[in-house]
Amino acid sequence: MNKKEALKIYKDQIKKMQAYYLAMATLGFDRLTIAPKDGSDFRNEMISVLDGEYYQVQTDPKFVEAVLYLAEQDLGKVMNRDVYLAKRSLEDVLKFSKEEMMEFSLEQMKGNDLWYEAKMKDDYSIFKDQLIKLIELSKKKLERRNPKKPSYDIFLDDFEEGMDQKKYDHFFSLIRKELLPLIKKINKKKGYIDDSFLYLYYPADKQALFMKDVMEYLGYSSSWGYLGVTEHPFTNGISRNDVRVTTNYDEHNIASAIFSVIHECGHAFYEHQVDPKYDDLIYIRYMSSGMHESQSRFFENYLARRKSFFKLLYPKLQEYFPENLENVSLDDFIRAINASQSSLIRTEADELTYPIHILIRYELEKDIFNGKADLNNLDKLWDNKYEKYLGIKAEKVFDGILQDIHWSDASFGYFPTYALGSAIGAQLIHQMEKDLNVDELLEKGKFNKITAYLKKNVQHYGALYNFEEIMKLATGEGFDPKYYIDYLKDKYTKLYDIK
Ligand code: ZN
């Protein structure tokens, strides 16, 4: 095999993988948004057949040979990285048979369906056995992938290249030490900020109209995007120019959909703004989850919780809901969307208590995969952690262990990237403020200048670099959680007038 032949095989095979990816991603979006429930058994089985076909293409001996050959060549920065990521993925995939991969995918979808049913019926017993099964299957998978490495480290590295328990332990110990005392003080000032008007009645159809204004403000265009409705909001990057987002309307919490749409649009821009020259490659288009969450949390928190962000949008929101907001000033609205109190739902948590929700999940997952958790009592362990750290307990499993979708399809190790992403975002905004007049741009509705900045400094790279390298390029220094801690402490001591 020579370089030219190998590259041709590599690119031809990637094109096939992309075709399957397109089909599976479109079906995946469909099944979590509009697909009727009764079709799920058939649909899941057919998706798992497609997974099997994808496996066949990915592990085609001539592709494997080409990857191994190319991994030894110098192909330039971009191709070197794509081939490196392809090899890394292949090394894992080849440890499993097609049938095993198909079975696992089927169990994941079954997990999704049972979780949804359990959540809707507020009955953990519907999902419990499947969750335990997914944990056991995941443990076996990890054991085979690398028997020498602590299994949870493998998951952490899957979602954020280079991360492991040692690094996260350090990160979360800072969160615990620096933020918990402040959270306790602020919890004592319950009612200090009036945010009750956020929880009045906001009909979903009118909320949907406002979301159009929000998306227009952000520049999320229907020429490359689409907003769907689902139980647990997500973004689906089907291709660079087809990036769909979803939300969920809570008619008694207007902030919920607003911030979830903004969050998902942050993900969407990241997918959309990857360098077009990577369109023919596949691995370099898969960004790490931590970097992804840094972009979504950047939109959601570091931009959208500012007064300047709502200067143009808030009058429109008032027009849709005069009965609730006519007499609420922009300043009062901004204070309300930044209010902090311990609460049960991660996705609706304020910035300060948010990382504690992640800390809880991180500790639980660590215990699960280090063999220290009683799998029969995960719902109780969940509740105990909430009591220990936030002093609250869910009345319903709907608000407890069933609130998040991630465990239902065995996405263990994903949660920590939310806190990491938030911390990365704090460091990025610190840099952006030096380079741009952020408030002025937001006030004037020039959001395109912000997305252009993110494209130039972070997003166009795709997965060309890992997050530490991107941070160095974007800010001139490595990742440092101090920016995050300082930002939160400064913001919330001022907001709550804590001495
Ligand atoms: Zn996200």
Side-chain angles (χ1 to χ4, degrees):
M1 190 176 280
N2 62 39
K3 210 193 249 187
K4 205 174 147 201
E5 281 164 9
L7 277 171
K8 181 164 180 353
I9 293 169
Y10 187 82
K11 295 219 167 154
D12 284 352
Q13 213 65 7
I14 282 204
K15 200 166 208 173
K16 276 190 211 164
M17 284 156 74
Q18 283 186 320
Y20 278 105
Y21 178 80
L22 172 72
M24 293 190 299
T26 311
L27 285 168
F29 183 83
D30 176 273
R31 72 179 276 275
L32 290 173
T33 50
I34 57 162
K37 180 179 148 291
D38 289 354
S40 83
D41 286 347
F42 179 76
R43 190 166 47 240
N44 291 353
E45 208 183 323
M46 293 309 117
I47 292 176
S48 110
V49 170
L50 284 175
D51 281 327
E53 293 305 305
Y54 185 86
Y55 175 92
Q56 205 85 322
V57 179
Q58 196 189 6
T59 59
D60 185 319
K62 64 178 195 295
F63 179 67
V64 177
E65 197 191 335
V67 169
L68 295 177
Y69 173 83
L70 291 171
E72 302 295 320
Q73 315 297 316
D74 185 7
L75 309 163
K77 201 160 67 178
V78 171
M79 279 306 291
N80 282 351
R81 177 70 173 166
D82 203 61
V83 170
Y84 165 79
L85 294 170
K87 185 168 173 255
R88 213 172 91 116
S89 163
L90 260 183
E91 279 165 356
D92 281 333
V93 170
L94 284 168
K95 292 186 174 124
F96 302 92
S97 70
K98 179 180 166 183
E99 290 67 32
E100 285 172 318
M101 295 299 266
M102 286 169 69
E103 194 207 320
F104 194 72
S105 135
L106 207 53
E107 294 298 344
Q108 285 174 301
M109 286 182 282
K110 203 173 147 196
N112 258 182
D113 292 345
L114 288 169
W115 162 78
Y116 182 73
E117 192 190 336
K119 186 172 176 180
M120 290 305 116
K121 292 182 179 160
D122 191 33
D123 180 357
Y124 178 55
S125 71
I126 295 171
F127 174 57
K128 183 180 165 181
D129 291 344
Q130 186 65 13
L131 175 59
I132 295 175
K133 191 172 183 185
L134 285 169
I135 291 169
E136 300 295 358
L137 279 170
S138 300
K139 280 185 178 172
K140 274 191 204 144
K141 255 184 111 175
L142 293 170
E143 174 70 21
R144 207 183 307 164
R145 281 176 61 186
N146 189 347
K148 289 190 202 111
K149 200 171 171 179
S151 54
Y152 192 45
D153 281 349
I154 303 177
F155 271 149
L156 295 174
D157 183 68
D158 279 350
F159 290 112
E160 189 54 68
E161 195 183 347
M163 287 305 281
D164 56 22
Q165 291 174 77
K166 202 171 154 230
K167 289 184 185 164
Y168 273 122
D169 281 349
H170 171 71
F171 175 65
F172 282 113
S173 73
L174 269 176
I175 303 258
R176 236 188 341 247
K177 187 169 126 262
E178 300 285 341
L179 301 183
L180 273 178
L182 180 59
I183 289 172
K184 283 197 178 120
K185 282 183 198 163
I186 287 179
N187 276 339
K188 283 191 192 131
K189 295 188 102 170
K190 193 172 179 165
Y192 181 76
I193 291 175
D194 176 21
D195 60 355
S196 56
F197 52 84
L198 297 177
Y199 305 99
L200 300 171
Y201 176 58
Y202 292 88
D205 53 345
K206 278 206 232 149
Q207 287 194 43
L209 292 175
F210 179 64
M211 296 316 151
K212 285 196 178 146
D213 294 325
V214 171
M215 292 188 292
E216 196 186 320
Y217 177 86
L218 298 174
Y220 177 69
S221 154
S222 61
S223 64
W224 56 272
Y226 173 81
L227 173 65
V229 175
T230 191
E231 173 53 27
H232 195 111
F234 65 94
T235 299
N236 194 338
I238 291 174
S239 71
R240 185 171 53 81
N241 280 317
D242 179 357
V243 190
R244 305 177 194 183
V245 300
T246 54
T247 192
N248 183 283
Y249 295 109
D250 178 344
E251 295 196 311
H252 289 279
N253 182 356
I254 184 64
S256 175
I258 294 177
F259 288 98
S260 99
V261 165
I262 295 169
H263 176 102
E264 300 306 335
C265 282
H267 283 303
F269 269 96
Y270 200 3
E271 293 284 324
H272 179 60
Q273 299 207 111
V274 170
D275 197 323
K277 74 179 180 218
Y278 304 158
D279 282 355
D280 295 340
L281 299 172
I282 198 164
Y283 294 96
I284 208 158
R285 293 201 60 249
Y286 291 152
M287 284 78 79
S288 78
S289 309
M291 277 314 292
H292 239 301
E293 292 306 332
S294 81
Q295 301 305 292
S296 54
R297 309 257 322 143
F298 194 84
F299 272 42
E300 177 192 351
N301 294 323
Y302 301 109
L303 300 174
R305 293 193 196 263
R306 292 168 183 242
K307 186 178 173 183
S308 50
F309 183 93
F310 275 99
K311 181 107 187 270
L312 295 172
L313 284 170
Y314 186 63
K316 294 186 180 172
L317 186 65
Q318 284 179 306
E319 270 173 42
Y320 289 117
F321 304 103
E323 67 282 15
N324 299 338
L325 299 173
E326 201 172 35
N327 297 317
V328 176
S329 70
L330 174 59
D331 281 313
D332 287 342
F333 176 75
I334 297 301
R335 277 167 68 78
I337 58 171
N338 284 292
S340 173
Q341 266 316 292
S342 286
S343 62
L344 291 166
I345 308 294
R346 173 186 66 84
T347 54
E348 285 159 15
D350 59 84
E351 280 177 278
L352 179 64
T353 57
Y354 186 87
I356 307 303
H357 292 260
I358 304 302
L359 165 74
I360 289 171
R361 287 154 179 76
Y362 173 67
E363 289 189 355
L364 286 169
E365 288 187 344
K366 247 176 79 170
D367 283 351
I368 290 172
F369 287 94
N370 293 333
K372 288 183 189 155
D374 173 8
L375 299 187
N376 275 305
N377 277 314
L378 287 175
D379 51 337
K380 306 227 168 42
L381 295 175
W382 181 286
D383 291 342
N384 291 345
K385 292 269 184 206
Y386 266 83
E387 260 194 309
K388 176 180 167 192
Y389 286 121
L390 291 171
I392 46 176
K393 195 179 163 217
E395 298 286 322
K396 304 185 291 180
V397 273
F398 183 94
D399 298 324
I401 191 169
L402 292 182
Q403 66 176 273
D404 288 310
I405 194 172
H406 306 62
W407 288 357
S408 80
D409 63 4
S411 295
F412 305 105
Y414 191 103
F415 283 123
T417 68
Y418 287 114
L420 182 69
S422 303
I424 293 172
Q427 194 167 345
L428 286 175
I429 192 73
H430 186 265
Q431 181 63 39
M432 189 192 268
E433 301 262 24
K434 285 189 205 164
D435 301 333
L436 299 178
N437 189 335
V438 178
D439 283 319
E440 195 185 300
L441 293 173
L442 291 175
E443 258 175 35
K444 292 188 173 153
K446 290 184 180 167
F447 202 80
N448 59 337
K449 295 270 189 284
I450 299 205
T451 47
Y453 178 94
L454 290 171
K455 179 179 184 175
K456 179 168 170 274
N457 291 289
V458 177
Q459 299 179 342
H460 82 95
Y461 296 121
L464 182 59
Y465 303 110
N466 69 27
F467 89 100
E468 291 268 15
E469 291 164 331
I470 292 178
M471 288 311 278
K472 276 187 197 134
L473 288 165
T475 70
E477 60 176 327
F479 169 65
D480 188 345
K482 137 182 129 55
Y483 291 99
Y484 183 45
I485 304 282
D486 288 352
Y487 163 85
L488 289 174
K489 281 168 90 169
D490 180 59
K491 174 170 176 171
Y492 283 94
T493 45
K494 280 185 189 143
L495 190 62
Y496 278 84
D497 194 23
I498 304 282
K499 299 284 180 274

